[in-house]
């Protein structure tokens, strides 16, 4: 009997667990560990903030995987030993024949003084009800959407939020000012200058001020502080800095700030240990990091699982991550566009942005439904 230990129940972990269960003999054990009891696709953060839906509609219990033959443990992971292929969970050491590290990226608002006190953490599930109430009750004139560090998960999300906030208040007959700032030189650097121009032109067309190359040093009541000045706000929607989870940092898996892996096979420098999702760093041919996006995490988890299954069966693994995919980007007026491309192409990613369409918004809703049905139905 073989055992695979999957650390993390996000896109990568769920894709890996279900793929393995479909390919391994029933006697082989698959264990998924996550300290959260429920899964949620974070696109619901924006929908809930704007009062369009609720978080609860998208929540699914990880325990539902038990019916598929996947053992689920809801507990913190306190130690990870990639050499021994083991993890310390809930007071016990679990050893495995293979490990998939899919713990994602942690939020680090503490890196920005004043962020926790004065910003609404757009990426923290527990902060979304407060953000919803703040948007519903907003009586001010200026909203700032701030990116406080890079890289971060779902790169288009802050720009999408700004566009949808503009659409939301325009429908209510309210004329407000919206700023979006980023420490990066353009909106979405991995997409290239031309595609960033499309995004930034759309922001401008909606009257949204785009402010690149602004790295915030702190937040105080009513203002974001930068080295050369301040930007005032009545409401601040913030994307905090991200970092690798502490248990990964203490394990020896990190090479710099993130886990470096073989970008095609998901293999780490430790035999039998794979990593997938937001805790890894894959550089594209032009040196920009592959976006931390759910679709890529899902594909990575699937590749790691297929290679493990092939190895257990005594076969030569052939599954490879191709870096192809994209994401939906809502722009208001009941429409979304699609960012898609070959991100591992040489000498640079080949990325296109479609025109907005109601179809892509419908496809975005279907994206959530399809994943929830595949993993939890």
């Amino acid at each position: 009997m073989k055992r695979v230990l999957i650390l993390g129940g996000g896109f990568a972990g769920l894709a890996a667990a279900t793929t393995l269960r479909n390919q391994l003999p029933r006697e082989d054990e698959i264990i998924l560990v996550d300290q959260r009891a429920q899964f949620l696709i974070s696109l619901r953060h924006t929908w809930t903030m704007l009062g369009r839906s609720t978080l609860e509609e998208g929540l699914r219990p990880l325990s539902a995987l038990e019916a598929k033959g996947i053992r689920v443990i809801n507990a913190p992971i306190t130690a990870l030993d990639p050499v021994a292929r083991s993890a310390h969970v809930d007071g016990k050491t679990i050893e495995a024949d293979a490990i998939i590290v899919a713990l994602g990226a942690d939020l680090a608002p503490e890196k920005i003084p004043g962020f926790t006190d004065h910003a609404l953490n757009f990426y923290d599930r527990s902060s979304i009800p407060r953000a919803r109430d703040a948007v519903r009750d907003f009586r001010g004139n200026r909203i700032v959407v701030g990116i406080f560090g890079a890289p971060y998960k779902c790169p288009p999300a802050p720009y999408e939020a700004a566009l949808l906030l503009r659409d939301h208040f325009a429908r209510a007959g309210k004329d407000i000012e919206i700023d979006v700032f980023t420490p990066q030189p353009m909106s979405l650097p991995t997409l290239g200058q031309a595609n960033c121009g499309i995004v930034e032109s759309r922001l401008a067309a909606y009257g949204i001020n785009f402010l690149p190359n602004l790295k915030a040093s702190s937040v105080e009541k009513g203002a974001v502080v930068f080295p050369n000045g301040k930007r005032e706000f009545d409401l601040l929607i913030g994307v905090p800095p991200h970092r690798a989870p502490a248990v990964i940092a203490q394990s020896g898996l990190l090479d710099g700030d993130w886990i470096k892996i073989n970008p095609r096979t998901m293999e780490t420098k430790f035999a039998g240990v794979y990593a997938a999702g937001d805790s890894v760093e894959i550089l594209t041919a032009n040196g920009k990091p592959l976006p931390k996006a759910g679709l890529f995490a899902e594909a990575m988890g699937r590749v790691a699982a297929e290679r493990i299954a092939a190895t257990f069966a005594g076969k030569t693994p052939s599954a490879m991550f191709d870096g192809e995919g994209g994401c939906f980007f809502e722009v208001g007026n009941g429409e979304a566009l699609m960012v898609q491309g070959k991100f591992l192409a040489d000498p640079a990613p080949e990325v296109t942005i479609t025109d907005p369409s109601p179809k892509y918004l419908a496809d975005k809703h279907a994206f959530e439904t399809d994943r929830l049905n595949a993993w939890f139905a």
Side-chain angles (χ1 to χ4, degrees):
M1 184 186 80
K2 299 286 189 180
R3 173 186 286 166
V4 182
L5 180 60
I6 301 170
L7 305 179
F11 271 85
L14 289 169
T18 51
T19 299
L20 282 165
R21 188 67 289 161
N22 289 335
Q23 297 190 11
L24 293 181
R26 298 301 289 184
E27 61 266 22
D28 287 350
E29 188 177 18
I30 301 167
I31 303 174
L32 184 144
V33 183
D34 196 301
Q35 62 182 356
R36 283 187 169 181
Q38 294 177 306
F39 171 75
L40 178 78
I41 299 179
S42 59
L43 54 81
R44 281 203 167 263
H45 288 196
T46 307
W47 295 346
T48 301
M49 181 176 71
L50 296 172
R52 294 183 180 179
S53 187
T54 66
L55 296 178
E56 288 72 23
E57 290 178 66
L59 289 170
R60 295 294 185 275
L62 291 175
S63 59
L65 299 174
E66 297 272 0
K68 298 177 181 286
I70 299 166
R71 181 183 169 196
V72 176
I73 301 175
N74 291 131
I77 301 160
T78 53
L80 168 61
D81 185 344
V83 176
R85 290 198 295 274
S86 68
H88 197 68
V89 179
D90 201 21
K92 300 177 182 178
T93 298
I94 303 175
E95 297 180 342
D97 298 283
I99 291 180
I100 300 176
V101 181
L103 289 170
D106 279 356
L107 306 179
E110 70 280 358
K111 290 187 175 183
I112 306 295
F115 183 101
T116 300
D117 293 330
H118 303 297
L120 289 170
N121 189 340
F122 177 49
Y123 276 38
D124 179 9
R125 185 188 307 179
S126 66
S127 296
I128 297 304
R130 190 160 62 96
R132 176 201 58 210
D133 294 346
V135 170
R136 182 195 61 207
D137 300 334
F138 185 67
R139 298 293 182 270
N141 295 311
R142 175 178 286 177
I143 295 176
V144 172
V145 179
I147 301 167
F148 286 80
Y152 60 93
K153 297 179 280 188
C154 193
Y159 304 106
E160 179 182 79
L163 289 165
L164 293 181
L165 283 164
R166 166 63 74 202
D167 185 66
H168 174 81
F169 284 109
R171 290 173 182 273
K174 297 179 181 178
D175 185 20
I176 61 171
E177 184 174 353
I178 300 179
D179 299 339
V180 184
F181 73 81
T182 176
Q184 301 182 110
M186 59 190 82
S187 52
L188 299 164
T190 308
L191 305 189
Q193 183 65 62
N195 286 319
C196 284
I198 294 173
V199 173
E200 293 157 22
S201 294
R202 182 160 293 276
L203 293 171
Y206 273 62
I208 296 169
N209 303 313
F210 173 61
L211 308 170
N213 293 310
L214 281 182
K215 186 172 183 178
S217 53
S218 64
V219 183
E220 59 187 33
K221 185 177 181 180
V224 183
V225 181
F226 303 100
N228 297 319
K230 298 180 180 181
R231 199 77 180 179
E232 295 182 349
F233 63 82
D234 297 307
L235 177 64
L236 174 61
I237 308 292
V239 179
H242 289 26
R243 59 172 172 78
V247 70
I248 295 179
Q250 296 160 6
S251 72
L253 273 169
L254 293 189
D255 184 358
D257 293 331
W258 307 99
I259 304 173
K260 300 294 194 300
I261 57 173
N262 181 314
R264 299 293 186 178
T265 67
M266 310 299 108
E267 294 168 307
T268 70
K269 58 188 176 182
F270 298 96
V273 179
Y274 300 76
D278 294 339
S279 57
V280 310
E281 180 180 70
I282 294 177
L283 296 180
T284 62
N286 62 1
K288 301 290 193 305
L290 182 78
K292 295 184 183 299
L295 192 67
F296 290 138
E298 178 184 354
M300 290 180 202
R302 193 162 50 244
V303 167
E306 290 178 357
R307 295 186 71 87
I308 290 170
T311 300
F312 285 0
K315 300 176 182 178
T316 300
S318 60
M320 295 283 182
F321 177 64
D322 60 14
E324 295 185 19
C327 64
F328 300 100
F329 186 159
E330 288 185 63
V331 296
N333 197 34
E335 296 182 321
L337 51 79
M338 182 75 179
V339 179
Q340 55 193 4
K342 300 177 180 179
F343 284 83
L344 295 186
D346 195 15
E350 299 172 4
V351 185
T352 59
I353 297 180
T354 70
D355 291 330
S357 165
K359 175 186 180 300
Y360 290 123
L361 181 57
D363 289 347
K364 181 174 182 177
H365 285 269
F367 174 85
E368 180 195 41
T369 301
D370 290 348
R371 268 75 189 164
L372 296 180
N373 287 340
W375 295 332
F376 298 101

